[in-house]
Amino acid sequence: MLKAGHLLHHRYSRIRERAQVYDPAKSSWAKAAPGYYLRLFGGLYLVEVAAVVLAALPAAAVRRLARAADGPDTVAGPLLGRLAQPEVSRQFRVDAAAIALLYGAAFLAYGGDWWMLLTALAGRDAIVSLSDNAYHYGTALDAPLEALNLKLPAPLELLALSFNLHGMHHRLPGLRWYELRPAFDAEGGRYDAGWFRAVARQVRGPLRLTDR
């Protein structure tokens, strides 16, 4: 599911996939803010986790969901449609079963200390949800190749698999993660901002369609 979503992100970033933006002619900051902050503070990761239950649905039901979720400002429709395709659906079900078994076994292994595993997953939730769109916040619309390169201390960059060099990744998506840093340095790359600053500025809230 995440692989399909990632490929759609590269195709539709800042075109259909722009959850941080609202059209003042159709909505307002107050209407856009609740969903925006819910997604930012943990909701994105929780949606990804909850989506595993889609594997239990028949393909026809997933196709109906795809039609219902489709819209000009979301990739939910194409993503669900992709998951309903037979070859993808089979792999998705295998993945979902493996995920359920792995986490089920992990929680059993932790026994009475299950809260420690849950706390670790909550930390992962926070990191994923807060950082996912920090690389696109305030960037130009209708520009799938545009993304930010954010500065991280070297040890953290290694742990993040160089994902902070997101601008390089969008321009050269075929590079392996460990090839991003050499390519960035070879170009004399410049950072757009620090990672922590870029994540923090998202707290300002959703942006109007005309903002950058």
Side-chain angles (χ1 to χ4, degrees), residues 136-150:
H136 299 282
Y137 187 82
T139 58
L141 299 180
D142 302 317
L145 296 183
E146 184 167 347
L148 305 178
N149 292 307
L150 303 178

Side-chain angles (χ1 to χ4, degrees), residues 76-105:
L79 175 57
L80 291 171
R82 177 71 174 155
L83 294 179
Q85 295 178 3
E87 67 279 8
V88 178
S89 179
R90 284 192 295 270
Q91 184 62 56
F92 181 42
R93 285 172 177 156
V94 171
D95 291 348
I99 290 168
L101 288 171
L102 176 65
Y103 280 103

Side-chain angles (χ1 to χ4, degrees), residues 60-72:
V62 178
R63 283 193 290 269
R64 286 195 295 271
L65 285 174
R67 289 192 292 270
D70 199 19

Side-chain angles (χ1 to χ4, degrees), residues 6-91:
H6 187 193
L7 293 174
L8 285 168
H9 167 72
H10 276 273
R11 182 175 181 180
Y12 291 117
S13 178
R14 314 306 288 164
I15 299 175
R16 291 183 64 158
E17 190 188 28
R18 47 190 189 186
Q20 307 149 332
V21 178
Y22 70 94
D23 185 349
K26 301 176 181 178
S27 184
S28 66
W29 190 95
K31 290 180 180 178
Y36 170 87
Y37 284 115
L38 182 63
R39 175 188 173 97
L40 182 65
F41 293 112
L44 173 65
Y45 185 74
L46 292 178
V47 167
E48 291 176 355
V49 172
V52 171
V53 303
L54 292 172
L57 298 178
V62 178
R63 283 193 290 269
R64 286 195 295 271
L65 285 174
R67 289 192 292 270
D70 199 19
D73 295 322
T74 177
V75 295
L79 175 57
L80 291 171
R82 177 71 174 155
L83 294 179
Q85 295 178 3
E87 67 279 8
V88 178
S89 179
R90 284 192 295 270
Q91 184 62 56

